[in-house]
Amino acid sequence: MANLLRSQWAVHGPVSCAQDTYASCCGSVRDKRHQRQQRLQLRREADKVLDSFVAKAKAKPISIRLLFSRKLISTKAMLVEKGDQNHFESNIVGNPPGVLETMAVKFEQTCNIVLTELVIKILDAFYSERHYARFYVLETIARVPYFAFVSVLHMYESFGWWRRSDYLKVHFAESWNELHHLLIMESLGGDERWIDRFLAQHIAVFYYFMIAFMYAVSPRMAYHFSECVEKHAYSTYDMFIKLQGEELKKLPAPEVAVKYYTQGDLYLFDEFQTDRIPCSRRPKIDNLYDVFINIRDDEAEHCKTMKACQTHGSLLSPHRDRESMQDGTTKGCSLSSAECAGILDCVKKAISSPVHRA
């Protein structure tokens, strides 16, 4: 920089040198400001697309799989917004929420939104221009909630408080999907720097215990927090695709992505997509653009599943045998239907109903 200033001074004189330097700095600032505004605009557009996408799924009266259930369970998700006071948790259709429940939901979701925005600001500060490193950190963190969910559910099983295999299967399939997102980012060099691995892994450890505690106290709150994280992941990938789409089409797809999306047994790939019929989605992977399109679509499916989970007892595996559900029988091993919403509810049911502990 000093040599450049001296050369401009010698050729153009001090006044011209200062003017050129000032113009160059202003141009650089304007370019950066324009890039930031463009990223923010794309993020807002992605959020609007995802909101409308999820709203359509939420507005569906009943999922195809639930038509065969013996109980009519509400499938509306728990999302309290301005002017949207009717979408509260209810085990059976027609059971309105109380005032305390309404306040609790608002408090939980406010806390979740604040925490999510804090995480986004940290990622923006460290990874505004390093996309693959940002995706690596994001995928390392994104798979942790499913570990926490399964851990708490296994603890409930040990005490006889929980006998719902659908949640265990779906959450494991979600963690398996996020694992392959992580492997794809590693193959693209997202974990090259030691500091990125250190930051992602230590945040993940803290995040695990936070979500496990949150899930034990309020599964609804934990599921909503995960929905917020998945929503951010969707908008991040969507913005990246819009900015880098043409370049991505020129690059080959990583081998790990081709194997996961197109080869082998795709049972787990279908399992985490609870709003779809199995085998209804079979991605095409020709280049890196297709890979990121499918990762983005995966995040949308996670978002819908987390939204459905906020209605207690409504989650069903896509592979649940429909004929068995229709006639009220199950094939193979039969489990009792013990379930509870949080550890306090589990303890309460265990004390009040000895049968629940069996």
Side-chain angles (χ1 to χ4, degrees):
M1 185 66 182
N3 293 333
L4 177 61
L5 289 174
R6 282 195 293 268
S7 62
Q8 290 182 349
W9 185 287
V11 175
H12 303 290
V15 176
S16 178
C17 174
Q19 292 175 345
D20 292 343
T21 304
Y22 176 77
S24 176
C25 292
C26 290
S28 177
V29 171
R30 283 195 299 270
D31 290 342
K32 291 183 178 179
R33 185 183 297 113
H34 177 70
Q35 290 176 0
R36 285 197 300 270
Q37 292 174 349
Q38 186 179 21
R39 288 197 297 269
L40 289 173
Q41 181 63 27
L42 289 174
R43 180 176 293 173
R44 293 192 190 100
E45 293 177 359
D47 288 341
K48 291 180 181 178
V49 171
L50 182 60
D51 287 339
S52 62
F53 183 55
V54 174
K56 291 179 181 179
K58 182 177 67 174
K60 293 167 66 176
I62 278 291
S63 171
I64 296 176
R65 297 181 301 277
L66 294 179
L67 290 175
F68 299 94
S69 178
R70 289 175 295 173
K71 292 183 179 180
L72 184 62
I73 301 175
S74 172
T75 58
K76 290 186 177 181
M78 181 70 61
L79 183 61
V80 179
E81 298 174 348
K82 292 182 179 179
D84 186 13
Q85 300 293 331
N86 297 322
H87 296 167
F88 291 99
E89 179 181 13
S90 177
N91 292 339
I92 305 298
V93 173
N95 184 20
V99 176
L100 292 178
E101 183 182 3
T102 302
M103 295 176 61
V105 172
K106 288 185 177 181
F107 174 76
E108 291 172 359
Q109 295 191 355
T110 300
C111 292
N112 288 339
I113 293 172
V114 171
L115 288 173
T116 305
E117 290 298 325
L118 178 61
V119 173
I120 292 174
K121 289 185 181 297
I122 293 175
L123 293 177
D124 288 341
F126 282 91
Y127 302 104
S128 59
E129 302 296 336
R130 299 173 53 225
H131 300 295
Y132 292 153
R134 181 192 183 101
F135 298 153
Y136 166 78
V137 174
L138 190 61
E139 295 298 345
T140 301
I141 297 173
R143 57 199 293 254
V144 169
Y146 308 118
F147 298 156
F149 298 159
V150 172
S151 298
V152 175
L153 293 179
H154 277 309
M155 181 187 72
Y156 291 169
E157 281 189 326
S158 299
F159 297 132
W161 295 343
W162 186 272
R163 292 293 186 267
R164 291 289 299 274
S165 61
D166 297 87
Y167 283 75
L168 293 171
K169 290 169 61 179
V170 171
H171 291 332
F172 176 77
E174 288 179 298
S175 70
W176 190 251
N177 176 258
E178 297 288 9
L179 168 63
H180 285 81
H181 291 179
L182 179 63
L183 294 176
I184 291 170
M185 298 312 156
E186 290 178 350
S187 68
L188 296 174
D191 64 336
E192 288 182 348
R193 296 188 182 182
W194 174 86
I195 187 61
D196 296 331
R197 299 194 300 272
F198 179 88
L199 181 64
Q201 293 165 3
H202 284 75
I203 290 178
V205 172
F206 170 79
Y207 190 36
Y208 170 82
F209 289 103
M210 184 190 80
I211 293 296
F213 175 78
M214 186 186 296
Y215 189 65
V217 174
S218 174
R220 178 183 59 204
M221 183 178 183
Y223 283 133
H224 179 260
F225 186 78
S226 295
E227 180 195 346
C228 293
V229 173
E230 298 294 356
K231 182 178 179 180
H232 169 67
Y234 175 93
S235 61
T236 299
Y237 285 120
D238 189 67
M239 180 176 61
F240 176 70
I241 290 169
K242 291 177 180 177
L243 290 174
Q244 306 289 336
E246 295 304 319
E247 293 297 325
L248 294 174
K249 293 178 181 179
K250 302 175 185 178
L251 300 174
E255 184 179 358
V256 63
V258 176
K259 289 183 177 180
Y260 174 69
Y261 284 111
T262 64
Q263 300 176 11
D265 186 1
L266 297 179
Y267 178 91
L268 289 176
F269 178 72
D270 292 328
E271 182 68 19
F272 82 91
Q273 303 178 73
T274 56
D275 196 55
R276 290 178 176 268
I277 297 175
C279 303
S280 62
R281 179 187 169 204
R282 288 295 178 262
K284 180 188 70 170
I285 304 295
D286 292 330
N287 48 47
L288 193 57
Y289 178 84
D290 292 336
V291 173
F292 277 99
I293 286 290
N294 282 284
I295 292 177
R296 182 201 63 183
D297 293 345
D298 289 348
E299 304 299 352
E301 295 297 332
H302 286 299
C303 192
K304 289 190 288 184
T305 299
M306 291 296 97
K307 184 177 287 292
C309 285
Q310 293 167 54
T311 301
H312 177 63
S314 67
L315 184 67
L316 292 176
S317 166
H319 293 94
R320 175 71 73 93
D321 185 76
R322 297 193 183 98
E323 294 182 359
S324 298
M325 292 173 62
Q326 187 176 18
D327 59 20
T329 62
T330 55
K331 297 179 180 179
C333 180
S334 177
L335 299 176
S336 61
S337 58
E339 60 176 309
C340 49
I343 193 167
L344 296 179
D345 185 45
C346 289
V347 173
K348 179 181 177 181
K349 288 182 177 179
I351 294 175
S352 60
S353 177
V355 178
H356 192 76
R357 296 196 299 267

